[in-house]
Amino acid sequence: MKVGRGAIAEEKIETAQKIIDQNIIDFTPIARSNLDKLATAIAMARAADDTTYYFEKIKQPIMNLKSCGSVFNYPLVSELTGTMLDCFETRDRSDKNILEIAEALQKSIEVVVSLGLKGDGGDVGKVLTLEFRSVCRRYLLKREAELKKNTKYH
């Protein structure tokens, strides 16, 4: 968080970027920990009558993965999780479809991490991104249609 006035000196930005670029910390354990939390939250939400509590538990590891992805040179992870979070913006609780999408995200990120798909993930990353966006777009269109159907206009 920036405190004070004025611009940040260019050399400070360059130094910070250099540190990020030279990062040698392995993202795999961080990703796996968050993926395990995501899997647990999805399973608990499926078993619950009211999923409001678990919806937040699902979002937290996704937000963690999004914030860490680019720092550890996995912007594909950040891209996929960002798409999922955009999809969540229309919801305050989970439903069967959103849980399936969250599970697809989990499995997609497991593939990305297992294969070490850094950067944009190449051809595999492009396919994953396009397909995942398509799934989320179809969900949102279906959700919008359901809302219009259930809303009475005067």
Side-chain angles (χ1 to χ4, degrees):
M1 180 165 129
K2 184 175 181 293
V3 178
R5 297 175 191 231
I8 298 174
E10 188 66 32
E11 61 270 3
K12 288 185 179 186
I13 293 172
E14 289 173 6
T15 300
Q17 187 61 50
K18 193 174 190 179
I19 291 168
I20 290 170
D21 292 344
Q22 295 174 349
N23 179 17
I24 58 169
I25 297 171
D26 185 9
F27 179 58
T28 304
I30 296 166
R32 294 212 189 282
S33 172
N34 282 287
L35 291 169
D36 289 346
K37 290 174 185 171
L38 178 57
T40 299
I42 291 168
M44 294 173 89
R46 282 194 170 123
D49 292 330
D50 181 3
T51 60
T52 306
Y53 173 78
Y54 297 105
F55 189 64
E56 293 303 316
K57 294 288 186 185
I58 290 169
K59 286 182 2 184
Q60 190 60 53
I62 293 172
M63 289 188 292
N64 291 343
L65 287 162
K66 182 180 187 308
S67 66
C68 290
S70 293
V71 171
F72 292 99
N73 197 22
Y74 281 87
L76 177 56
V77 170
S78 294
E79 175 71 29
L80 294 170
T81 51
T83 300
M84 183 82 232
L85 291 171
D86 289 345
C87 200
F88 277 154
E89 285 184 9
T90 66
R91 309 290 302 153
D92 61 354
R93 66 185 64 232
S94 52
D95 60 32
K96 179 184 173 204
N97 293 325
I98 202 81
L99 292 175
E100 289 175 6
I101 295 170
E103 187 172 42
L105 173 71
Q106 174 206 347
K107 290 176 181 178
S108 296
I109 294 174
E110 285 175 359
V111 168
V112 170
V113 172
S114 295
L115 296 177
L117 297 177
K118 293 186 175 189
D120 66 3
D123 291 340
V124 173
K126 289 175 188 166
V127 170
L128 278 172
T129 300
L130 288 173
E131 290 301 318
F132 194 71
R133 283 181 185 164
S134 176
V135 166
C136 288
R137 187 172 25 259
R138 287 192 310 267
Y139 172 79
L140 291 172
L141 289 171
K142 180 181 175 188
R143 172 109 173 103
E144 185 178 314
E146 288 172 355
L147 287 173
K148 284 182 180 178
K149 180 180 169 185
N150 294 330
T151 303
K152 295 181 181 180
Y153 293 98
H154 295 99

